[in-house]
Amino acid sequence: MLDAEETALLGRAAHADQVLDQRSFGRADGEGGTVRLSLWNHPTETIYGMIARCESIVGSMEKLLGGEVYHYHSKMIMKDPLVGGAWTWHQTMATGTRTARFRGWRAPSSRSMRPRVRTAACR
């Protein structure tokens, strides 16, 4: 979905992003450590929002989830070198509610109330 150049750009932007770092918070990992993360619910006009709206990301999520998707939330896990806890990933496929989640993307059982915004491509 992202090529090596796009992934490297995202990594450099995240490492240099002081606002992301300042808005992060710690959460116990259940094993005695703490992991830092930052969460937000809207795609924003940052590089993170551009990637969330990128056609290759949105198109892939629509194929995986079988229909229209919308941005549910973004989560950046910030693991400091040699310290920090583990993050246990959890993806939900809730068949009773007909809602599927895949790391921040949600496919509603009916049309989403949130506006759907896309860009043509990542590049």
Side-chain angles (χ1 to χ4, degrees):
M1 291 188 283
L2 296 179
D3 65 24
E5 183 180 349
E6 292 163 334
T7 303
L9 175 62
L10 177 60
R12 287 191 305 273
H15 283 285
D17 190 339
Q18 293 179 353
V19 173
L20 182 71
D21 188 52
Q22 291 167 355
R23 292 187 177 166
S24 70
F25 59 94
R27 181 175 231 176
D29 68 0
E31 298 176 6
T34 301
V35 65
R36 281 190 320 125
L37 66 145
S38 185
L39 299 167
W40 58 99
N41 294 322
H42 300 284
T44 72
E45 296 300 321
T46 65
I47 187 172
Y48 316 115
M50 291 168 54
I51 288 173
R53 293 193 236 6
C54 164
E55 181 63 35
S56 67
I57 300 292
V58 174
S60 296
M61 292 299 101
E62 288 180 337
K63 285 180 186 175
L64 282 170
L65 298 173
E68 182 180 24
V69 297
Y70 65 90
H71 179 269
Y72 179 64
H73 74 272
S74 292
K75 179 185 302 175
M76 180 76 72
I77 306 299
M78 296 175 284
K79 176 132 175 39
D80 296 316
L82 307 176
V83 298
W87 183 263
T88 304
W89 286 102
H90 174 76
Q91 289 85 36
T92 302
M93 184 67 110
T95 55
T97 61
R98 296 184 51 185
T99 298
R101 267 193 243 172
F102 188 85
R103 290 192 192 174
W105 289 96
R106 180 172 278 181
S109 58
S110 61
R111 283 250 184 239
S112 170
M113 299 298 275
R114 292 186 182 189
R116 183 176 161 174
V117 182
R118 296 171 89 156
T119 56
C122 287
R123 306 180 126 234

